[in-house]
Amino acid sequence: MKQLQSEPTAIREIFPSILYYGTPVILLSTRNADGTTNLTPLSSSWALGKMVVLGVSTIGQALENMQRHPECVINVPAPTQWEQVERLAPTTGRFPVPAQRAAMGFRHEPDKFATAGFTPQAASAVQVERIRECPLQIEARVEQINLREDGFAIVETTALHVYAHDQIMLEQGAQVSDRYVDPLKWSPLIYNFRHYFGLGERVGKTFRAET
Ligand SMILES: Cc1cc2nc3c(=O)[nH]c(=O)nc-3n(C[C@H](O)[C@H](O)[C@H](O)COP(=O)(O)O)c2cc1C
């Protein structure tokens, strides 16, 4: 990446067509009416304590599913999995496809696992399948859905169980930690103004870092 200078050459007001300034991609598992699992790529999420908040379009299948069945899994893919994420990008679990989405080239896809080439993994506490290949898998309960008037909903969830691949966890002697993800081994897939990135080099750590 080109090194950005802290002293700007000039500052102007801009009118960006999107404001996706670089957040991790998640693949949200939700339960379809027939009991199968739908997968939805999202970049609007954040975690605080055990809460994970999601920003979800009201036009998609994910929201309808969570309104009917208040459980989900937040699967977090790695940068190497971007092409599998992108295979899901033009699909929706909605049938028929809403006209607005059809006009944008979206198609109905009932089997998102097959589309992306992922393996369903039975969850321990929710009736929604996890994605086996995603290094982080968070089973969660949907607590509250705040429907906004701009076509989006803010969905508050509580993490119930977190699963991780051993490969991203800190090694403590011969033991694999079940508390610390190793930030030198793990990178989320970042959605940066609609382009996919991994993380670059570590630039530092906070005074509260425990590893
Ligand atoms: C990388 C990526 C990030 C996305 N982020 C969001 C998001 O944060 N919120 C949202 O509602 N849609 C987001 N989308 C669009 C949805 O994935 C898309 O509308 C999809 O068709 C919804 O699927 P569903 O109708 O089966 O739930 C994103 C798509 C991609 C590819």
Side-chain angles (χ1 to χ4, degrees), residues 5-170:
Q5 303 297 319
S6 52
E7 182 55 36
T9 51
I11 301 175
R12 71 184 71 210
E13 185 179 6
I14 64 167
F15 307 92
S17 68
I18 45 148
L19 251 185
Y20 303 153
Y21 46 74
T23 44
V25 174
I26 63 159
L27 293 172
L28 187 71
S29 300
T30 57
R31 187 176 166 91
N32 290 319
D34 66 1
T36 59
T37 294
N38 187 47
L39 300 178
T40 304
L42 297 181
S43 64
S44 304
S45 83
W46 51 266
L48 186 66
K50 286 198 171 299
M51 169 174 59
V52 181
V53 180
L54 312 168
V56 184
S57 160
T58 53
I59 211 179
Q61 190 62 39
L63 183 66
E64 188 187 312
N65 284 355
M66 290 188 287
Q67 286 172 319
R68 184 187 343 95
H69 183 91
E71 293 180 334
C72 65
V73 178
I74 295 141
N75 305 276
V76 194
T80 50
Q81 295 170 319
W82 78 267
E83 285 167 303
Q84 287 171 281
V85 171
E86 187 54 22
R87 271 184 240 155
L88 296 175
T91 70
T92 174
R94 282 283 301 269
F95 185 83
V97 179
Q100 191 187 331
R101 282 288 150 90
M104 293 162 75
F106 281 77
R107 66 173 200 278
H108 170 65
E109 180 51 68
D111 189 348
K112 303 271 193 94
F113 279 98
T115 303
F118 284 130
T119 313
Q121 165 90 45
S124 60
V126 294
Q127 291 179 292
V128 191
E129 290 161 326
R130 309 198 306 251
I131 302 176
R132 184 173 173 77
E133 291 83 0
C134 284
L136 278 170
Q137 308 158 14
I138 305 165
E139 298 182 9
R141 185 175 55 232
V142 174
E143 307 283 6
Q144 196 163 319
I145 298 176
N146 175 14
L147 289 173
R148 294 165 51 95
E149 289 189 351
D150 57 3
F152 295 106
I154 304 303
V155 180
E156 295 179 20
T157 74
T158 299
L160 302 173
H161 294 281
V162 182
Y163 294 86
H165 291 185
D166 271 7
Q167 291 97 310
I168 67 164
M169 299 306 294
L170 196 73

